[in-house]
């Protein structure tokens, strides 16, 4: 997985839905680990931005962990 850009875990490679769920999980719970991975992974950064942008369409007051 270290060589496969865009994925956070082996589990996230199983389906698109699981990939988004795993990315959201890291965004909410393992944010510091995610920030490190984002430094060298533009695909993952696009996924995170997609999730953030669309959640804010639903709830503009949603707070992501910093």
């Amino acid at each position: 997985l270290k060589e496969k850009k865009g994925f956070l875990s082996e589990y996230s490679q199983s389906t698109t839905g699981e990939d988004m769920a795993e990315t959201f999980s890291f965004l909410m719970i393992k944010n510091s680990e995610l920030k490190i991975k984002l430094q060298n992974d533009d695909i993952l950064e696009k996924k995170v931005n997609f999730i953030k942008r669309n959640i804010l369409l639903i709830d503009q007051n949603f707070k992501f962990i910093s």
Side-chain angles (χ1 to χ4, degrees), residues 25-41:
S25 172
F26 271 73
L27 182 60
M28 298 307 299
I29 297 170
K30 298 181 179 179
N31 195 274
S32 58
E33 188 176 335
L34 179 60
K35 285 180 182 180
I36 293 168
K37 292 180 181 277
L38 288 176
Q39 292 174 3
N40 299 314
D41 194 332

Side-chain angles (χ1 to χ4, degrees), residues 8-44:
L8 291 165
S9 68
E10 188 172 336
Y11 183 65
S12 68
Q13 295 181 43
S14 60
T15 66
T16 302
E18 296 303 344
D19 183 25
M20 289 294 148
E22 188 77 345
T23 303
F24 180 76
S25 172
F26 271 73
L27 182 60
M28 298 307 299
I29 297 170
K30 298 181 179 179
N31 195 274
S32 58
E33 188 176 335
L34 179 60
K35 285 180 182 180
I36 293 168
K37 292 180 181 277
L38 288 176
Q39 292 174 3
N40 299 314
D41 194 332
D42 56 331
I43 297 168
L44 189 55

Side-chain angles (χ1 to χ4, degrees), residues 36-62:
I36 293 168
K37 292 180 181 277
L38 288 176
Q39 292 174 3
N40 299 314
D41 194 332
D42 56 331
I43 297 168
L44 189 55
E45 183 177 14
K46 289 177 183 179
K47 287 181 191 180
V48 168
N49 290 336
F50 174 84
I51 290 170
K52 285 183 173 181
R53 184 173 56 251
N54 285 285
I55 286 176
L56 292 174
L57 288 174
I58 298 166
D59 181 358
Q60 293 178 349
N61 297 313
F62 190 87

